[in-house]
DNA sequence: GCGTCATTTTGGTACGACTAAACATGGCAG
DNA sequence: CTGCCATGTTTAGTCGTACCAAAATGACGC
């Protein structure tokens, strides 16, 4: 009810954004519930609807609100995925620049090679078991390219889960999402599926034998091969 | 001049966002120049100023425009840094959650350990020379904590530059920015500076000797130590 | 030429109105 | 009583206008 004026910030919307995000974080607006209607916020903060809408839009771009058209914005405590999706639009521009896809994929190689090394050194019994069953799912799907794609993704996803760091699975989802436009237009051949499966086996063996070097080598070989396939399909112009 | 209606998209602002971002990417609005005034865009697209403002705000949050209050928005072709800064607000929330800082720092350890391994295997003569001079700057600044902080950052930044992948330096800037709140409130002691310098030397030696394992070990030791210092300062509640 | 001041431009905010979609209600037919 | 549909209500999306203040612009005097 109090005027938020005199908050000495160039833009009124900014102070509203601060107050709202604070109320969200403090739980005053609990997760999953819709925000009060714009007209209520308007009188609560003593501002016009213009400013309310600006603030709401800003918060939704930050991932603290989920705004569907014609609906009340839903309060969302942001997770690591929200951070990733905040970059999405920018990234999509960057991927159109020459070299953008390769730069992104190279970071994936970097990260994933570090992951398999760490897995080879620290993977627990259940991690290994999960990898093993993912491998079997791979093997069972070599002839069904659509399904193989899913099991392929699942195998790599496991690598990102082993360190128990919630940033990493989010990062994997990001890679999958951003590289999907290239990947999904590639031809899916059973031979390639089989080669990928065998590459996965090699990675798994490296982890199983607690041999970081072997695991990393296998993974780099696997991803380099994938990149070559991309280049063959799109003609290097990335 | 044509009506953008009938574009079959729930929100008018979204179509304007698309059109504008396309015009920015195609160079019709060249980088560095201000966008046309809102009132012009309004009639150009046949929409109200409300929508124009919404679109402009959206684009500026995406990093395609740089909007200062009371100024015309400046067109910016987004780079990798723009992607990072798009996450900034979300990340700042995540870092307040328990474990957020540690999760982020762990990814840094992961990435940076992969970087030093790669450096040990692939660093060129000039990379090594750059590292060497960064080390000397370290050594010269051990007694001036403020300056040592800068040279410390510069040393690590070099590691991110070696693979020639523009994503990585941006990532380093992100780490520095996001972890700065914790780092900058830590006491700076010459002993610590000296210890950090020696850790850098160990990393450099590993790279110089083309010994990835040694380099990685030294780096992990270095960063783990840094994390311990953070914990001592803030009492583990991260 | 250069600084100063008045004018115009332009973004920031407010208010009011209307539309259409989503939601809530209640009545009607089975 | 139950399920479905018509109706009214809520609410976000959009538009138009108006006003203010800061910035950009240009005129003027020095």
């Amino acid at each position: 009810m109090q005027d938020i004026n005199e908050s000495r910030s160039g833009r009124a919307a900014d102070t509203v954004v601060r107050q709202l995000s604070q109320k969200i974080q403090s739980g005053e607006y609990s997760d999953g519930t819709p925000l009060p209607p714009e007209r209520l916020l308007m009188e609560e903060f003593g501002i016009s609807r213009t400013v309310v809408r600006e603030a709401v839009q800003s918060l939704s771009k930050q991932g603290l609100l989920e705004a569907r058209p014609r609906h009340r914005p839903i309060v969302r405590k942001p997770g690591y995925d929200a951070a990733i999706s905040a970059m999405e639009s920018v990234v999509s521009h960057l991927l159109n620049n020459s070299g953008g896809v390769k730069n992104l994929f190279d970071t994936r190689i970097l990260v994933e090679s570090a992951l398999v090394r760490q897995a080879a050194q620290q993977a627990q019994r259940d991690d290994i078991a999960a990898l093993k069953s993912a491998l079997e799912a791979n093997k069972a799907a070599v002839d069904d390219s659509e399904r193989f794609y899913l099991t392929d993704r699942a195998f790599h996803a496991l690598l990102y889960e082993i360190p128990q760091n919630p940033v990493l699975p989010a990062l994997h989802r990001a890679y999958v999402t951003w590289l999907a436009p290239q990947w999904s237009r590639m031809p899916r051949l059973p031979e390639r599926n089989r080669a990928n499966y065998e590459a996965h086996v090699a990675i798994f063996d490296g982890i199983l034998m607690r041999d970081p070097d072997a695991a990393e080598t296998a993974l780099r070989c696997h991803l380099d091969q994938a990149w070559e396939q991309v280049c063959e399909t799109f003609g290097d112009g990335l």
Side-chain angles (χ1 to χ4, degrees), chain A:
Chain A
M1 200 58 72
Q2 78 295 357
D3 261 14
I4 50 87
N5 307 332
E6 330 312 340
S7 275
R8 199 127 352 276
S9 92
R11 296 205 281 253
D14 287 348
T15 79
V16 178
V17 165
R18 263 198 303 278
Q19 306 221 353
L20 279 181
S21 71
Q22 186 180 336
K23 289 193 176 190
I24 290 176
Q25 222 181 357
S26 77
E28 185 168 338
Y29 295 142
S30 53
D31 186 284
T33 62
L35 214 61
E38 298 180 348
R39 288 170 175 83
L40 270 188
L41 293 174
M42 177 179 152
E43 52 182 60
E44 176 173 357
F45 289 108
I47 51 177
S48 74
R49 203 147 81 91
T50 312
V51 179
V52 172
R53 289 183 55 74
E54 200 174 324
V56 165
Q57 194 205 345
S58 188
L59 287 171
S60 95
K61 286 230 166 284
Q62 292 180 23
L64 279 84
L65 297 178
E66 180 189 338
R68 294 176 305 170
R70 305 274 168 192
H71 282 272
R72 310 251 290 276
I74 310 272
V75 176
R76 289 270 177 251
K77 280 226 171 95
Y80 293 98
D81 285 306
I84 302 283
S85 72
M87 302 200 301
E88 201 179 342
S89 54
V90 196
V91 171
S92 71
H93 282 278
L94 293 172
L95 290 180
N96 288 335
N97 298 350
S98 83
V101 178
K102 173 124 187 70
N103 286 336
L104 181 63
F105 193 77
D106 280 346
T107 69
R108 174 171 174 172
I109 297 178
L110 187 83
V111 168
E112 219 156 302
S113 67
L115 284 174
V116 294
R117 290 195 72 87
Q118 201 158 312
Q121 291 167 318
Q122 303 173 1
Q124 304 295 313
R125 200 183 316 272
D126 48 347
D127 295 326
I128 307 247
L131 285 171
K132 192 175 177 66
S133 72
L135 264 187
E136 283 163 11
N138 272 174
K139 188 175 187 178
V142 279
D143 290 323
D144 179 351
S145 286
E146 210 54 47
R147 200 151 62 88
F148 185 84
Y149 176 58
L150 293 178
T151 66
D152 188 349
R153 257 175 38 182
F155 178 82
H156 285 268
L158 282 177
L159 298 176
Y160 289 80
E161 286 169 13
I162 292 177
Q164 309 260 31
N165 184 336
V167 175
L168 297 174
L171 183 62
H172 177 247
R173 284 188 284 275
Y175 282 136
V176 168
T177 305
W178 296 339
L179 297 174
Q182 327 294 329
W183 183 254
S184 64
R185 279 188 297 164
M186 276 175 47
R188 307 279 178 71
L189 307 172
E191 308 97 81
R192 285 189 176 176
N193 295 343
R194 182 163 303 278
N196 286 331
Y197 163 67
E198 277 160 16
H200 289 180
V201 170
I203 295 167
F204 175 73
D205 283 343
I207 295 174
L208 197 62
M209 307 303 270
R210 304 283 166 186
D211 184 343
D213 291 320
E216 179 182 359
T217 303
L219 177 110
R220 294 193 104 98
C221 177
H222 176 41
L223 291 182
D224 288 343
Q225 194 176 353
W227 179 250
E228 272 191 29
Q229 290 179 3
V230 172
C231 286
E232 284 170 17
T233 308
F234 297 98
D236 300 25
L238 302 166

